[in-house]
Amino acid sequence: MTLDPTVRPKMIGDMTQERTPLRKSEEAVGHAVLALYYYAGAADIYAETGEQALIEALDKLWGNIVNQKMFITGACGQKHDGGSSNRDFVHEAFTINYEMHNAHSYNETCANLCNAMFNYRMLGVKGEAKYADVIETVMYNSALSGIDIGGTNFFYTNPLRRDFDHKMGETDYPTRVPYIPCFCCPPNLVRTIAKLSAWSYSLTKNGIAVNLYGGNTLETNLLDDSEIKLTQKTDYPWDGAVLIEVKESKKEAFDIMLRIPEWAKGSTVAINGKKENATAGTYFTINRKWKKGGDVISLDMPMKPELVVGHRKIEEVRNQAAVKRGPIVYCIETPDLPENTNVFDVYIPSNIELTPPKKESEFLGGLSTLKGTVMLTEDRGDKMYKTLEKQTWKTFDATFIPYYAWSNRGASEMTVFMPILWE
Ligand SMILES: [Zn+2]
């Protein structure tokens, strides 16, 4: 803490989970990292004990986080310092519902990772796709933003907008740094990436579930100890086509369950070429006698670029939109804007045509950018308030890069949300 010594920060009450017993909690409160570890631990206890009061509270807490306190990137920890709805001082913490400031969001890398860890445990006890959706959102966005393309520099905080006037301090850095005095986030991130493959599949009562997609080979044993070997081929998250081949399996019928992400409307699953529609936001279960060395599952998830808007009560993103494609949240960054333009100048037309993604094999470690024409305002000025006047605009063919890849080209300004120009 670097608060002025005359300030008594009072690390009590909601800040340290002292105000409301967990089993009676309905709102996520307190230091975001500690809260999410606490909830993850409680989910572990539920997995052992089956205590109903615990899971009922965890369901409410999960709903409050995902529907009222989580950023589009899966990040948690709305403010560096703020107040809870019970008026307790809170630090690096959950604050009140819908308080989602872009530039001043805290979003410690650890908190985002803990959100994924909490969801991994909820996935284990509930088996619902929505928990794996959050894991995926976190890992591709607010976790991966914590590390640079080279893998040697780190962010502690992960705001959704950065402008050069933002006052930095303590754990907030203008660019990623190789060493952070409070060194929790870097090892937490790299260990989570290292073990993410273990979250990709789950054993189920009657088979196996595919939670996360990516090229891999799986060799394991089902719960009845029978051997299973699968290969998965895909260019996910840049392409929504996934091929899974059953290389080895038992003779008897068993389930292969595929997570269809909530964003993947219009997905299809084909087994040896026979196509079926799959419902987004669920696991698509295939039960059959699998032919080893022959059966191929082909999953196709449409990845149309889209504009995403926030709930009407999120004051900070009223009439703003973010660009998203599949699980990847995009941003606009000053190295891709004309000289002397800042991110506050950028407006996004509601009918923007985002061109099909261009896979750039070298750029920022290999990723897909999106292109589209935005409008740049020439309205500048220092007055706090002024009379509304007709603005002059310039069109600009913009490049959007994945949010996680920002700040790899020196100090820059960046924004995820942009004001909408209704066309
Ligand atoms: Zn940390």
Side-chain angles (χ1 to χ4, degrees):
M1 289 286 298
T2 51
L3 291 176
D4 187 276
T6 58
V7 175
R8 296 178 64 83
K10 294 185 180 170
M11 294 288 191
I12 57 172
D14 279 337
M15 174 61 191
T16 47
Q17 309 290 335
E18 291 172 327
R19 187 175 284 283
T20 313
L22 180 70
R23 289 169 179 79
K24 292 187 177 162
S25 294
E26 297 187 354
E27 185 185 359
V29 296
H31 189 277
V33 178
L34 305 186
L36 287 157
Y37 275 141
Y38 183 43
Y39 305 153
D44 279 342
I45 290 175
Y46 170 75
E48 297 289 334
T49 65
E51 186 191 333
Q52 204 53 28
L54 263 187
I55 198 67
E56 282 170 12
L58 291 173
D59 283 342
K60 287 178 190 161
L61 291 166
W62 185 90
N64 176 238
I65 293 167
V66 169
N67 296 316
Q68 279 138 349
K69 297 192 176 187
M70 188 178 83
F71 287 87
I72 187 175
T73 55
C76 289
Q78 295 143 283
K79 293 287 287 290
H80 197 153
D81 295 296
S84 73
S85 59
N86 293 311
R87 303 197 163 183
D88 288 330
F89 168 85
V90 291
H91 177 63
E92 305 178 346
F94 290 113
T95 61
I96 57 174
N97 291 346
Y98 301 117
E99 187 182 32
M100 315 299 292
H101 203 285
N102 291 305
H104 300 285
S105 46
Y106 194 69
N107 298 340
E108 179 176 341
T109 306
C110 283
N112 311 338
L113 293 166
C114 293
N115 189 25
M117 293 175 198
F118 172 43
N119 276 276
Y120 177 64
R121 283 154 178 82
M122 292 298 279
L123 175 66
V125 295
K126 295 259 192 166
E128 292 174 37
K130 63 183 183 180
Y131 302 111
D133 281 359
V134 177
I135 294 173
E136 179 175 79
T137 301
V138 170
M139 295 311 298
Y140 280 126
N141 300 290
S142 54
L144 211 48
S145 57
I147 190 168
D148 71 352
I149 298 301
T152 53
N153 293 289
F154 304 91
F155 269 144
Y156 197 98
T157 61
N158 298 276
L160 275 73
R161 181 174 299 153
R162 170 57 47 80
D163 72 271
F164 290 136
D165 292 337
H166 180 73
K167 193 177 173 189
M168 305 286 164
E170 210 179 35
T171 45
D172 211 3
Y173 301 98
T175 55
R176 293 182 188 83
V177 292
Y179 180 76
I180 299 170
C182 184
F183 206 71
C184 50
C185 300
N188 199 3
L189 176 53
V190 293
R191 71 154 180 168
T192 308
I193 292 172
K195 73 172 186 189
L196 193 58
S197 59
W199 291 2
S200 299
Y201 296 89
S202 295
L203 295 175
T204 64
K205 217 176 266 179
N206 190 32
I208 198 154
V210 189
N211 305 320
L212 302 172
Y213 298 104
N216 67 75
T217 298
L218 171 77
E219 288 184 63
T220 191
N221 295 75
L222 298 181
L223 289 177
D224 62 7
D225 216 31
S226 64
E227 287 177 22
I228 181 167
K229 185 175 173 184
L230 305 176
T231 59
Q232 195 182 139
K233 288 182 190 157
T234 179
D235 197 23
Y236 198 88
W238 312 119
D239 190 296
V242 179
L243 279 181
I244 297 174
E245 194 172 341
V246 181
K247 295 283 190 186
E248 297 283 344
S249 73
K250 64 180 179 181
K251 288 195 185 87
E252 297 78 28
F254 68 94
D255 295 343
I256 294 182
M257 301 170 69
L258 307 174
R259 178 180 64 97
I260 313 298
E262 201 268 333
W263 53 259
K265 311 274 189 301
S267 291
T268 57
V269 176
I271 300 129
N272 303 329
K274 201 176 158 225
K275 211 184 264 189
E276 279 185 64
N277 294 326
T279 308
T282 66
Y283 278 90
F284 183 88
T285 303
I286 312 157
N287 180 280
R288 61 187 265 128
K289 290 181 180 176
W290 298 92
K291 280 194 218 92
K292 60 181 176 182
D295 278 344
V296 176
I297 305 168
S298 174
L299 167 61
D300 192 14
M301 293 171 275
M303 278 190 181
K304 198 174 173 298
E306 58 179 7
L307 296 187
V308 178
V309 297
H311 188 282
R312 65 189 188 283
K313 289 188 180 176
I314 308 173
E315 192 62 33
E316 291 83 352
V317 299
R318 289 275 288 175
N319 204 48
Q320 295 184 43
V323 174
K324 194 165 179 271
R325 178 176 181 265
I328 304 285
V329 175
Y330 282 76
C331 70
I332 201 155
E333 195 188 12
T334 40
D336 298 313
L337 290 173
E339 217 173 316
N340 300 322
T341 305
N342 68 39
V343 293
F344 294 100
D345 298 335
V346 182
Y347 284 66
I348 194 160
S350 58
N351 63 353
I352 188 171
E353 276 185 35
L354 293 161
T355 57
K358 186 167 168 240
K359 183 76 189 293
E360 321 248 10
S361 56
E362 300 295 326
F363 183 55
L364 299 175
L367 47 75
S368 287
T369 57
L370 293 171
K371 308 258 187 211
T373 304
V374 297
M375 301 299 282
L376 303 178
T377 178
E378 293 183 335
D379 180 34
R380 299 274 177 88
D382 294 329
K383 273 196 167 177
M384 184 87 170
Y385 304 102
K386 62 178 185 178
T387 306
L388 178 67
E389 291 168 351
K390 195 169 168 57
Q391 296 195 31
T392 53
W393 301 92
K394 279 192 298 199
T395 60
F396 177 67
D397 293 333
T399 300
F400 298 88
I401 64 163
Y403 165 75
Y404 77 76
W406 87 277
S407 191
N408 274 285
R409 294 172 284 174
S412 61
E413 292 188 328
M414 171 278 299
T415 190
V416 169
F417 280 97
M418 290 148 279
I420 302 168
L421 276 180
W422 290 93
E423 300 285 347

